[in-house]
Amino acid sequence: MKNKGDWLLLLAAFIGGGGFISLKYLLDWGYDPFQVIFGRFLMASVCMCVVYHRRLKKITKREWRAGGILGALLAAMFLLMTVGLQYTTPSVNAFLVNIPAVIVPFLCWGVFHQRPTKNHFLAAGLTLIGVCCLSLTSAFRMDFGAVLSLLAAVAFSLQMAFLGNITKGCDAVHIALTENIATLAVMTVIVCFTGWDMPPMTLPSLGNFFFLGAFCTAAYFALQSAGQQITSPNKAAIIITSESIFAALFSALLYGERMSLRGYLGCGIIFAAMLLAEQKKEG
């Protein structure tokens, strides 16, 4: 299939876009951010180990090491993202968390000496403009939730830059497994210190935890690992940004959020940035 990696990343973005709504519901129902992330990765790790239990013994030391690094970055990203979501809307949180398109090209250039193309620079600039259209307040100031979401984007950018460079030759499923298990280990320690008291587990909350774990985490990172092994980190970061567009659509359909004309303009600009990044010509 032509551009198979791009399609895998786009599918991951579609699935991940729905996760912001489940996160917001669980936070609204009284679960704290640490419990939500712990439950999400517990469900993801259990699902992946059940499906791929025969492959656990085949994971190499290099894959465990790479997964450990990626898992630590993911834990930081999810902590900042989930706490940020308590103070802002799902679409704003999603757009800010998904601006690695602006950051990844410069990380890869500075750390791995992979110079971005002119299209990547232009797409990064358009993405930044789109994010500003959506997330800046009427007073043109970032609120607390938006700042935390932006810091989450930095952590996610590091994860994507490393994923595209330290996992070459590794098995995509093995990386997804080790990444999820490492994140779960970090969150287990944090929850032990912050406490286990939580609201009663209801069928809707269990369903949202399952959706977050099985689909938005296990399937998402398996697709991301597979897709990014055959797509450059710069291009992957821009494609993953479409997750925020899907999040905005799901937020309008399922959470009742309504965006302004400026917000829709931001969606359109980011979509244009994705199309620009797809162009082969470097200029």
Side-chain angles (χ1 to χ4, degrees):
M1 181 188 295
K2 186 179 179 180
N3 298 328
K4 179 181 178 181
D6 298 359
W7 285 107
L8 291 174
L9 290 166
L10 190 61
L11 179 58
F14 175 78
I15 294 171
F20 288 87
I21 311 306
S22 289
L23 273 175
K24 191 66 173 176
Y25 277 132
L26 289 170
L27 293 172
D28 289 346
W29 293 338
Y31 297 93
D32 70 38
F34 310 115
Q35 294 165 350
V36 171
I37 303 170
F38 170 79
R40 174 179 191 157
F41 279 92
L42 175 62
M43 189 71 71
S45 298
V46 169
C47 289
M48 291 203 75
C49 287
V50 168
V51 175
Y52 297 111
H53 64 279
R54 294 182 180 179
R55 302 180 66 165
L56 287 171
K57 293 182 179 179
K58 298 179 181 179
I59 300 176
T60 65
K61 290 183 179 179
R62 181 190 169 201
E63 289 168 337
W64 277 112
R65 186 165 54 250
I69 294 171
L70 296 172
L73 291 170
L74 272 184
M77 187 273 282
F78 276 103
L79 283 168
L80 290 164
M81 180 189 76
T82 309
V83 175
L85 188 56
Q86 289 184 304
Y87 301 98
T88 191
T89 62
S91 63
V92 170
N93 181 261
F95 267 89
L96 284 172
V97 169
N98 281 283
I99 62 164
V102 181
I103 304 169
V104 168
F106 298 99
L107 283 175
C108 289
W109 192 7
V111 178
F112 300 106
H113 309 294
Q114 299 171 353
R115 182 181 175 83
T117 67
K118 289 183 179 179
N119 281 348
H120 286 140
F121 278 120
L122 289 172
L126 282 175
T127 302
L128 182 59
I129 293 170
V131 167
C132 289
C133 285
L134 178 92
S135 61
L136 291 179
T137 65
S138 58
F140 293 98
R141 292 181 292 106
M142 300 284 281
D143 61 26
F144 181 61
V147 171
L148 292 179
S149 301
L150 190 59
L151 292 174
V154 175
F156 194 26
S157 298
L158 288 168
Q159 188 264 354
M160 293 198 73
F162 277 96
L163 177 60
N165 286 279
I166 68 174
T167 63
K168 295 187 185 299
C170 296
D171 184 279
V173 172
H174 292 176
I175 292 299
L177 272 166
T178 55
E179 193 175 26
N180 278 282
I181 293 171
T183 307
L184 176 61
V186 172
M187 293 313 306
T188 300
V189 173
I190 291 175
V191 171
C192 283
F193 281 99
T194 58
W196 296 93
D197 292 336
M198 64 179 69
M201 188 65 70
T202 62
L203 190 59
S205 60
L206 184 61
N208 278 282
F209 271 118
F210 178 78
F211 178 70
L212 277 174
F215 292 95
C216 301
T217 308
Y220 178 96
F221 288 110
L223 289 167
Q224 186 200 7
S225 297
Q228 202 165 330
Q229 286 185 345
I230 49 180
T231 302
S232 73
N234 296 330
K235 190 177 181 182
I238 294 168
I239 295 172
I240 285 293
T241 300
S242 65
E243 180 178 322
S244 53
I245 297 176
F246 295 124
L249 294 174
F250 285 129
S251 183
L253 292 171
L254 303 177
Y255 194 72
E257 182 184 354
R258 292 293 178 265
M259 283 196 300
S260 65
L261 179 61
R262 192 177 68 185
Y264 285 108
L265 177 62
C267 289
I269 292 173
I270 290 180
F271 184 71
M274 284 175 50
L275 296 179
L276 180 61
E278 285 290 313
Q279 299 301 311
K280 299 294 184 183
K281 185 178 179 180
E282 297 186 7

